[in-house]
Amino acid sequence: DAEITQSPRHKITETGRQVTLACHQTWNHNNMFWYRQDLGHGLRLIHYSYGVQDTNKGEVSDGYSVSRSNTEDLPLTLESAASSQTSVYFCASSESGTYGYTFGSGTRLTVV
Amino acid sequence: QKEVEQNSGPLSVPEGAIASLNCTYSDRGSQSFFWYRQYSGKSPELIMFIYSNGDKEDGRFTAQLNKASQYVSLLIRDSQPSDSATYLCAVINYQLIWGAGTKLIIKP
């Protein structure tokens, strides 16, 4: 069965370190998204991609970067982790917007 | 700014009753409308989507869309304790805009 997987499920890192969160989907979806979810803020879009070599900034992109070298993967990099980036991160993919998004299981990141 | 508004709740409903969740949106160009369910500590999962005015039924769930009034609702009939979750409304024109969610509690 097709799926979207995120790794790691939990991560603790220190302030200032570079961290990469992985997202891998086997749906063959062109569209992939990264969100963060915090209490009181709901889902906030960090970056998104509509295809290989395409990346776009979302509403909370500062301090984050992504790259899309193939259809299956969209890794999210925190260049220099900050305590404000402690959050739950969700990756999602979609065939097109009209069909809704499929989410990964999430990564809980703690920056200490 | 395009917005999707939901009452944060919690909305408490007795088991077996109908739960009614509402969502309003600001972008009149919105084309597709989605309801996601998110259990605590889990990822959102799509439960309903609707494109056209009117009702769409799927088992115990009914989505209702009124584009003129810019609202979409989700009815859950015969509510079960397993329906207790946060329900997220999302609408799309060129991008998906999310509501903050309504926490639903079904009391046995």
Side-chain angles (χ1 to χ4, degrees), chain A residues 35 37 48 97-98 100-101 104, chain B residues 34 36 38 43 51 95-96 98:
Chain A
Y35 287 92
Q37 189 175 39
Y48 59 101
T98 55
Y101 296 2
Chain B
F34 305 90
Y36 285 78
Q38 186 175 24
S43 58
Y51 308 135
Q95 280 199 352
L96 198 62
W98 294 88

Side-chain angles (χ1 to χ4, degrees), chain A residues 26 47-49 64 87 93 105 112:
Chain A
T26 57
H47 281 286
Y48 59 101
S49 168
Y64 303 94
S87 185
S93 70
S105 298
V112 297

